[in-house]
Every structure is written in structure tokens, then in C-alpha cells.
Amino acid sequence: MNTPSSAQTLPLGILCGAGAGALWGLVFLAPELVRDFAPLDLAAGRYLAYGTIALALFGRRLPSACRALGRRDWRVLFWLAFFGNSFYYVMLSMAVQNGGIALTSLVIGFMPVAVTIIGSRDRDAPPLRKLAPSLFFCMLGAFCIGFQALFQTAPTQGSASGHTAFIGLLCACAALASWTGFAVGNSRALGRLHDVSAHEWNLLTGLMTGAQALCLLPVARLVDPVVHDTHAWTKFWVVSIGVAVIASVCGNALWNRMSRLLPLTLTGQMILFETLFALLYGFLWDWRAPRVLEIASFGFIVASVLCCVAAHRRPVIDTIDTVVE
């Protein structure tokens, strides 16, 4: 009786997805802001801050939240924290530093295709033929960004060429696979858990990722033994804490809220907002206007989201039949 209708959850879920994308898009700028530090350093710093903030926000509620999880839930939490945070951010940072923001955004832009196809196997998902227009526009948008980034972009702060761009492409593909697995697993974990809120699950993920960052820190120092001055370390920790608060705490909270409001097939499309905002921030960072193909990609990505939303809208006659029953 008190379950929200799809007419209520759809707009709210989309707004949460757009907000998460706007906050997550800032993550693409972090490796450019502190290029003197290795990706392992960036991941360790960000997630140490994330874990500390999560612990502070939990306070006295931590023991009760931990008791609500079974052994299976802890295993799931460990792998979600690893693939959705630790490993993903290392690969993303390497991709940005080697291939640039535009190239990395291109590859991550394929994520909705993968998540939507996986989610189309769920029981209540729309048939794949209904999702075909959305996937078509998504692939067109990603192709436009890719062609622009790989073949028509002169070297700038956010671009690269030759073998460096190829390394960035490989790292971005690894990040794509990692976060696709996280998006699917996290959505299904939230659907299964009833005694843990979306906000608590986000904070638990932060605690688990913080624990992994403690193990990552000595490895990062061995890999990158460069001595940095006080100014560089101050900038590093400002960026790390800023990304932890904006992207990990606030962005993840919006994403988890959205994951409980939208089906998995539509959840995948919401990742496109991260691509849109990452590209926008990249243009501002390079201090240039988008090129023709980049403008076209914006249009295709927006069309992809609109088509996917339309595929999830139930016909009026079905809604009336449900109410009558």
C-alpha cells in the first residue's frame, strides 16, 4: 500500500542518477590536478579519507549495521569495494594520466551498454528490442567521442598520442570492466538487503575500502618512492579529501538511492551522466569549446537516456489494470 509508484520513483531516481554523475565526473579531474603523484597514491589517499569520513558518520550506529550483515554480505562488500573503488580508481587514474580525460570518458561511456544488456536478463526488465534504440544512440555517442579523441585531437593537457594513448586505452578498458561488475553487483546487493539502508551500505563500502587503502598505502610508497615537498603533499590531501567527500560519500549516496528506485536496465543508462559531466569538466580544464563530433556525442547520449526512460514507462492501460486489480 505504501510502495511508491513508478510515476514517483522514475523522476526521483533519474535526478539522483544525474546528481551522482555530476559529482563523479569531478573524479576525472583529480589525476590531472596532482600529476606528480602515482595512481596508487591517489587511490590510497582518496580511500583513506573516504574510510575515515565513513567511520565518523557512522558513529554509534556502526555495531548494529555490522550485525545486520551475514558472512556472504561481507564477502560481497569486500569485492564491491575492491572493484568499484580501489582497482577501478587506480585504472581510471592511469587512463587519465596516459590517455587524457576525453579518451577515458569515451571508454567509460560504453558502460551503460554492458550494464543494460546484463540487466535485460532480469525478470521485470523490458525486452531487449525495446532497449535497442537506446543502445544504438549510446554506441553512436561513444563512437563520436572515440573518433575525436583518437584521431582528431591535437595534444593538450587532456590528450595523448602513440603508445601512451594505447596504455591509457587498456587501463580505461580495465576500469570499464571493473565498474560494470560493481554496478551490477551493487544493484543486486541493495535489492537483497532489507535491514541496511542505502546510506549505511555506502558507509560500509567506505569502511571496507578504507581498510583496503591501509594495505595499499605501503605498496604505493614502494612503487612511487619520489620525495614530494610540503606544498605538493598539501595539494594532494586537499584533492584526496575533496574527492572522498564529493564523489565517494555524496556521489555514492545518490547512486545507492537511485539503485533502489530504478531497475538495473535503467541504472546502466544513468552512468551516461558521469560521461557527460566528465567531458564538460574536461573541456573546462583544457579551456576550449567542444568540437563538432563532441557536440554530436552529447546529443546521442541524451537521446540514449530518453529512449531508455521511454522503454521503462508503462502504458496507461497497464497502469489502470494494475490499479483495478
Side-chain angles (χ1 to χ4, degrees), residues 70-303:
R71 184 176 299 178
R72 177 193 176 189
D73 299 323
W74 283 109
R75 286 199 301 268
V76 169
L77 189 64
F78 174 86
W79 289 114
L80 288 178
F82 179 77
F83 286 111
N85 290 324
S86 304
F87 180 76
Y88 168 74
Y89 194 57
V90 170
M91 291 297 102
L92 180 76
S93 299
M94 291 178 66
V96 170
Q97 291 185 349
N98 286 280
I101 295 175
L103 175 61
T104 307
S105 302
L106 146 75
V107 179
I108 300 302
F110 279 106
M111 197 182 296
V113 180
V115 175
T116 300
I117 290 175
I118 294 172
S120 66
R121 299 169 61 91
D122 289 356
R123 185 181 62 181
D124 298 328
L128 197 56
R129 59 180 175 80
K130 276 193 166 187
L131 298 170
S134 175
L135 297 177
F136 174 72
F137 283 122
C138 176
M139 293 179 71
L140 279 180
F143 173 79
C144 289
I145 302 169
F147 189 84
Q148 180 72 62
L150 292 176
F151 302 108
Q152 292 189 355
T153 303
T156 65
Q157 294 181 72
S159 64
S161 59
H163 74 282
T164 304
F166 182 69
I167 293 174
L169 180 62
L170 292 179
C171 293
C173 289
L176 167 65
S178 176
W179 217 90
T180 298
F182 167 78
V184 174
N186 190 60
S187 180
R188 289 176 175 165
L190 284 168
R192 188 182 70 251
L193 294 169
H194 301 292
D195 297 329
V196 178
S197 69
H199 179 60
E200 289 174 334
W201 184 250
N202 177 32
L203 296 181
L204 285 169
T205 305
L207 289 175
M208 181 63 73
T209 312
Q212 293 175 1
L214 284 174
C215 300
L216 183 62
L217 188 59
V219 178
R221 288 288 79 211
L222 287 173
V223 172
D224 181 32
V226 178
V227 177
H228 300 283
D229 58 27
T230 304
H231 175 73
W233 276 113
T234 301
K235 185 178 180 181
F236 171 81
W237 283 112
V238 168
V239 171
S240 296
I241 295 171
V243 170
V245 173
I246 294 172
S248 296
V249 177
C250 300
N252 289 6
L254 287 172
W255 181 264
N256 285 343
R257 176 61 174 162
M258 178 216 64
S259 296
R260 281 187 163 168
L261 294 172
L262 302 179
L264 183 56
T265 45
L266 189 52
T267 295
Q269 292 296 316
M270 294 300 100
I271 303 170
L272 287 171
F273 283 110
E274 180 183 13
T275 302
L276 286 172
F277 282 102
L279 285 170
L280 175 61
Y281 301 149
F283 298 148
L284 293 174
W285 175 257
D286 290 334
W287 201 244
R288 66 175 177 87
R291 300 178 176 91
V292 174
L293 281 178
E294 291 165 339
I295 294 174
S297 72
F298 272 94
F300 286 134
I301 290 175
V302 171

